[in-house]
Amino acid sequence: MDVLRRALARLAALPARLKAGLLAGAVLVTAVLGWGLNATRDMRVNLFATPLYADQLTEVQTRLAGWGMPYALLADNVRVDPRKRAELLLRLSLAGIPHRHLTTSDEAFARVNALTPQSVLEAQTRDALAADLAQGLRGLDGVADARVIVAPASAGAYADEPARDASASVRITLEPGAHLAPATVAGIRAFVAGGVPGLDADRVTVLDDRGALDGGSTEPDDASVQASLQSALDAALGAGATIVRVHREALGEVRDERDVKRQPLAGDLSRTSGDERYASPQKKYQKQTATEERGSETRDVHRLAAADATARLSVAIFVDGSRAIDLDAIRTLAAAAAGIDERRGDTLRVEAVRFALSAPATVHGIDAWAIAGLFAGMLPQLALVAGAVVLVALGARPAYALVVRAVEAAGVRDAARESAGLPPARVRGALAGEPPHVAAAVISALPAATAAAVLELYPPEERAQIVRRLARAAIDLVPHPEELLRARS
């Protein structure tokens, strides 16, 4: 308490201008610290209102990182800038992320205990098996989501009820432009049948998002041709260099054509000879005709075209006219990639036009907006560091001067107490080399007679400087703030 009282007394003895400067500095430091704490405080909010599972959290984290959006990862959620929350929720919803959580076998069996009924255990096992299969199908190329429903085999509860074999239904959601090839559909059916005991692959039904049963027609649709051709051009020329549009016309009717061709093995296919005779006395007429088959090769061609078979394919490719791109090379490669058949009436047009909008700027294949978003969350911290550096650079020298003067003030007070009973000549010798403000501080603490005698020992110029210091109401052992600013400038 004594130390505190002495410190308060010393503070109260300071000049008014010095007190105002110290108060302004304290207010400035407090404001800077408050702004820094507010800027560095985590103002982000949870992106989702409900907790996420581990697989859902991984999907969201991967997509946000790909978009270059800053976020903070939690155990069951992610925290984002509240101003970006609505936009991110909309973009994730359009991308179908996160997928619906599927209860896997591990999670289902974790809730099973000794009292679980057998019927409930069988239902949980069946649902968990379907979830495991659906998660496996999500990893296929072009498959955005999958749903598997398993119907177990039934022996019939009654005598007149027929037995039923196990079956399964698979609902596939495709990515934009993707297409289920027949080989992919066969693989899906074999995968599901292999995961369900007693299930035959023929009893697995696959349905895609276009409503095509078992992958639909083997003919590629216009969307798949367009996506395939566009991806190839983007990989070769860069994104935004071309625009591909494909229109496919279906046959619309089932056509059954049969063509039989016969070719001779050697020479003509057959030879015909004739013999004609007439005998006048007997009035007899005779005519003979003979046909000789020399052998042939017969080929019977049977064509059956489904109603959704391709009748005509039209492909249009727009090329950015501001780039030097070989149109003939694109025309040749596109005709081969799209399977253009001129005998069928297919058309291909490649034209150079000037695009209204250019592709997003990238730096060596890296999205510049993604880089900007990566550093957006660091702006408050960078501003705080810059402000601290500027504050230290401006206030280091004045603060050092304040500390030096405070130390000098403490030394002056101790020297004044020790020299109170000394003769004037000895006091003058002790103050030799001290600046005028220090000498004035020591002399002001001496008795009047001793102080006058000490002043008489100083040269006139130094005496005048000390007297000017003594004339002040209080000795400025610590310089005024404006003096410090002038010294700084």
Side-chain angles (χ1 to χ4, degrees):
M1 296 297 295
D2 294 337
V3 177
L4 181 60
R5 283 196 297 270
R6 286 198 300 268
L8 293 177
R10 294 175 182 176
L11 182 62
L14 295 177
R17 288 187 296 176
L18 180 58
K19 292 179 181 179
L22 293 177
L23 180 60
V27 172
L28 178 61
V29 172
T30 303
V32 171
L33 291 177
W35 177 85
L37 292 176
N38 182 69
T40 56
R41 188 177 60 178
D42 190 3
M43 301 295 293
R44 292 171 289 193
V45 297
N46 290 347
L47 181 58
F48 295 94
T50 58
L52 300 178
Y53 291 91
D55 55 340
Q56 296 176 326
L57 191 61
T58 301
E59 291 179 343
V60 174
Q61 181 183 0
T62 303
R63 188 54 61 95
L64 292 181
W67 290 340
M69 293 293 180
Y71 65 93
L73 184 61
L74 301 178
D76 56 357
N77 214 323
V78 292
R79 296 176 64 84
V80 297
D81 188 344
R83 295 169 296 182
K84 296 288 186 179
R85 183 173 182 269
E87 177 187 352
L88 290 177
L89 288 176
L90 178 59
R91 294 180 65 179
L92 290 173
S93 177
L94 294 177
I97 294 177
H99 289 99
R100 184 178 62 88
H101 175 68
L102 301 175
T103 303
T104 60
S105 300
D106 296 337
E107 297 176 359
F109 293 149
R111 297 192 297 263
V112 174
N113 52 50
L115 301 179
T116 303
Q118 183 63 28
S119 58
V120 176
L121 180 59
E122 292 178 355
Q124 291 182 352
T125 303
R126 183 173 62 252
D127 294 341
L129 179 60
D132 293 339
L133 293 173
Q135 283 191 344
L137 294 177
R138 284 179 178 176
L140 292 179
D141 186 20
V143 176
D145 198 3
R147 179 77 180 274
V148 178
I149 302 175
V150 177
S154 176
Y158 301 97
D160 56 349
E161 183 178 355
R164 183 180 59 189
D165 296 332
S167 61
S169 298
V170 181
R171 169 69 163 83
I172 298 294
T173 301
L174 299 176
E175 294 179 353
H179 176 73
L180 279 182
T184 305
V185 175
I188 292 175
R189 299 173 66 179
F191 175 76
V192 175
V196 180
L199 177 60
D200 188 74
D202 295 336
R203 297 187 61 81
V204 178
T205 302
V206 181
L207 184 70
D208 61 13
D209 51 359
R210 298 173 301 157
L213 183 63
D214 285 348
S217 171
T218 58
E219 292 283 342
D221 58 354
D222 49 2
S224 62
V225 175
Q226 176 176 313
S228 176
L229 188 55
Q230 184 71 71
S231 62
L233 293 176
D234 290 344
L237 305 176
T242 58
I243 300 176
V244 178
R245 291 296 180 266
V246 176
H247 176 68
R248 172 181 172 270
E249 297 179 7
L251 193 59
E253 60 181 2
V254 179
R255 293 183 181 178
D256 189 358
E257 299 178 356
R258 185 178 296 275
D259 186 8
V260 179
K261 294 183 178 180
R262 298 178 62 195
Q263 294 181 349
L265 295 178
D268 298 332
L269 182 63
S270 61
R271 177 183 179 184
T272 303
S273 60
D275 184 13
E276 187 174 356
R277 298 178 182 179
Y278 175 75
S280 177
Q282 293 84 9
K283 296 183 179 181
K284 184 179 179 181
Y285 176 78
Q286 184 179 5
K287 182 179 181 181
Q288 294 180 350
T289 303
T291 302
E292 179 184 2
E293 291 286 344
R294 296 186 175 183
S296 63
E297 179 183 359
T298 304
R299 183 168 57 182
D300 188 356
V301 180
H302 183 206
R303 299 185 182 91
L304 179 62
D308 58 350
T310 302
R312 185 171 178 268
L313 192 65
S314 301
V315 179
I317 301 179
F318 305 85
V319 181
D320 189 359
S322 62
R323 307 188 185 187
I325 299 178
D326 189 355
L327 300 184
D328 293 336
I330 293 181
R331 186 177 294 106
T332 302
L333 296 176
I340 299 297
D341 188 357
E342 296 181 355
R343 296 174 301 177
R344 191 173 55 186
D346 297 349
T347 58
L348 173 63
R349 296 289 183 269
V350 180
E351 298 293 340
V353 296
R354 185 170 294 276
F355 290 176
L357 297 177
S358 59
T362 58
V363 181
H364 298 293
I366 302 177
D367 192 354
W369 290 107
I371 298 177
L374 180 62
F375 291 98
M378 301 175 60
L379 291 180
Q381 292 81 353
L382 294 177
L384 178 61
V385 172
V389 171
V390 173
L391 183 62
V392 171
L394 294 177
R397 187 172 178 181
Y400 176 74
L402 288 175
V403 173
V404 171
R405 294 300 178 89
V407 173
E408 291 180 353
V412 166
R413 285 190 292 269
D414 295 339
R417 285 194 301 270
E418 294 176 357
S419 60
L422 297 178
R426 190 168 180 180
V427 174
R428 175 67 182 84
L431 294 178
E434 296 292 342
H437 68 278
V438 176
V442 175
I443 294 174
S444 64
L446 298 175
T450 306
V454 172
L455 288 174
E456 290 297 332
L457 299 176
Y458 275 94
E461 295 181 359
E462 293 187 27
R463 186 188 310 120
Q465 295 179 3
I466 296 174
V467 170
R468 283 197 300 270
R469 294 279 182 169
L470 289 174
R472 296 183 180 180
I475 302 302
D476 295 336
L477 296 177
V478 181
H480 295 290
E482 58 269 19
E483 296 180 2
L484 294 175
L485 293 177
R486 285 197 299 270
R488 175 64 180 170
S489 61

